[in-house]
Amino acid sequence: MPPKPFNFPAKRTAAIFLLTTTAAAAFTANSDESSPLAADKIRAQIHGIARTARAVSTVASTVVDYEFSLRGLPKYSDQYRKTSSQVHLRSAERFLKLCESNKGFYVKAGQFIASQKVLPREYSSTLSSLQDQVAPLPFKVIEKVLKDNLGPDFSEKFLSIDERPIGAASIAQVHHAVLKSGQEVAIKVQYPWIEQQMHFDTRTMYFLSKVIAWLYPQYRFEWLPLTFAKSVSSELDFVQEARNSERAAKNFRNNKIVRIPNVFWELTTRQVLTMEFYAGHKV
C-alpha cells in the first residue's frame, strides 16, 4: 500500500504563523539578557525577526498551496501524482527564494536538506543550486575581530594584509596577507555576529519544525533542524577546523597530488584561522 501523502490543512496556517512569531519574539527577548544590547546586536535581532517573518510566510504559503491544489483529487491517481509534483516544485522554488533572501544559515540549511535526499526530488534538485556566497563586510569590521583575537598590535606581525577579501561566505571571509618572513598566508575571519545569528535562526527552524510536527503527526522530518544545528555549530570553531586540517595533512602525507596548507597556530583562534596560502581552483 502506498504511503499516506503529507498534506497541510489550510485552516491551521494561522496557528503556525502565530506560534512561530510568538516564539521568535521570545527568543529575541531572552537572548543576552545579562549584557546591554549594542546597536549592532539590536540590528541583528531586527534582521532576525525579518528573516523569521519571511520563513513563516513561506511555510504558510506552502501550507495553502498543498491544501488547495490537492483538494478533491483522488489519492494515488495519476492526476494526484502529477499535481503533487507541481506543488513540490513550486514549494521548493519558494524555499529556494527564502534561502537566497535570508542568506547565512538558511543557505546552509537549504544545502544541508538537499544533501539528505529525504524530501521529494523536486526539493533536493532545486535547493542543490544554492551557492554559499555573500557580499563581504568592510575591512574595519574584520580588523576589529583581528584585534580582539590576535591583539591590538596584530598588524605588526604582517608585512601586508589585503583589505579586499579573496572570498566571502556565510560565516567568514578570507584575506590574503604576507608575514614578516615573506610567507604568504590566507586569513579566515569569522563575522562577529555570526554565532548569535546561528542561535536565532536554528531555533526558529527548530520551532517551525516542532509546530508542524505538533499539528501534523504524519510530518516525518522533525529531526532535520537539530541535526543541521549540530553540524553547523562545529563550523564556527576554527581551532577544531585547524585540527581537522592537520589530521587530513597527516593522512595524506605520502600523497604527492594532494596539498594541504600548514596552520599558523600563533595566528589562529576560535574566530581566526591563518593558513599557508595556495593558489588553486574550487573543486
Side-chain angles (χ1 to χ4, degrees):
M1 181 178 178
K4 186 177 180 180
F6 175 50
N7 296 327
F8 294 93
K11 64 182 180 180
R12 294 182 177 176
T13 302
I16 295 178
F17 183 88
L18 291 174
L19 286 170
T20 309
T21 307
T22 301
F27 292 150
T28 303
N30 290 331
S31 61
D32 290 327
E33 289 179 340
S34 60
S35 61
L37 288 175
D40 58 337
K41 290 185 179 180
I42 295 175
R43 284 195 296 269
Q45 290 181 344
I46 292 173
H47 291 158
I49 293 173
R51 291 194 303 275
T52 298
R54 282 192 288 266
V56 172
S57 175
T58 298
V59 170
S61 298
T62 301
V63 164
V64 173
D65 196 0
Y66 273 99
E67 170 65 15
F68 283 90
S69 298
L70 299 177
R71 177 177 292 178
L73 296 179
K75 293 181 180 179
Y76 316 124
S77 66
D78 290 341
Q79 183 60 40
Y80 188 94
R81 284 191 288 269
K82 180 180 178 181
T83 303
S84 293
S85 179
Q86 293 170 346
V87 178
H88 290 334
L89 182 58
R90 284 199 301 270
S91 300
E93 290 172 346
R94 217 176 275 125
F95 280 101
L96 175 63
K97 184 178 179 180
L98 169 68
C99 293
E100 291 175 338
S101 297
N102 281 0
K103 300 182 174 63
F105 291 104
Y106 279 85
V107 171
K108 286 190 171 294
Q111 293 172 327
F112 179 81
I113 290 172
S115 70
Q116 299 301 303
K117 308 299 182 184
V118 294
L119 295 176
R121 60 181 176 79
E122 290 85 356
Y123 283 90
S124 57
S125 61
T126 301
L127 293 174
S128 65
S129 67
L130 284 166
Q131 296 294 315
D132 191 9
Q133 298 174 340
V134 300
L137 290 182
F139 186 73
K140 65 179 181 179
V141 178
I142 298 301
E143 186 177 36
K144 185 178 186 307
V145 178
L146 291 172
K147 286 181 178 179
D148 291 343
N149 284 267
L150 304 181
D153 58 346
F154 79 92
S155 60
E156 297 178 4
K157 302 174 184 178
F158 300 89
L159 282 178
S160 65
I161 300 178
D162 191 345
E163 295 188 2
R164 294 173 299 177
I166 56 178
S170 57
I171 67 173
Q173 61 190 55
V174 180
H175 291 259
H176 175 269
V178 181
L179 299 178
K180 290 286 189 179
S181 63
Q183 172 69 55
E184 290 184 89
V185 295
I187 310 174
K188 183 179 179 180
V189 185
Q190 191 174 123
Y191 303 135
W193 37 258
I194 199 65
E195 190 162 3
Q196 180 188 14
Q197 180 179 323
M198 181 202 71
H199 290 312
F200 191 101
D201 287 347
T202 54
R203 283 184 292 186
T204 297
M205 295 172 193
Y206 173 75
F207 192 81
L208 264 173
S209 188
K210 288 288 286 184
V211 169
I212 294 173
W214 175 60
L215 293 173
Y216 316 107
Q218 64 268 47
Y219 176 75
R220 302 183 303 277
F221 308 112
E222 187 180 355
W223 56 272
L224 271 175
L226 284 178
T227 305
F228 167 68
K230 182 178 179 181
S231 172
V232 77
S233 63
S234 65
E235 294 187 37
L236 298 184
D237 187 354
F238 289 175
V239 171
Q240 185 60 48
E241 181 176 341
R243 291 188 185 124
N244 292 340
S245 179
E246 288 197 333
R247 186 181 301 117
K250 182 179 180 180
N251 292 338
F252 283 93
R253 61 184 179 277
N254 296 323
N255 190 305
K256 296 181 180 180
I257 298 176
V258 178
R259 298 177 64 189
I260 298 175
N262 293 321
V263 176
F264 291 85
W265 282 104
E266 68 277 12
L267 298 173
T268 294
T269 69
R270 196 173 186 276
Q271 290 185 303
V272 176
L273 173 59
T274 304
M275 304 182 76
E276 185 179 3
F277 179 83
Y278 283 154
H281 302 280
K282 185 174 181 179
V283 177

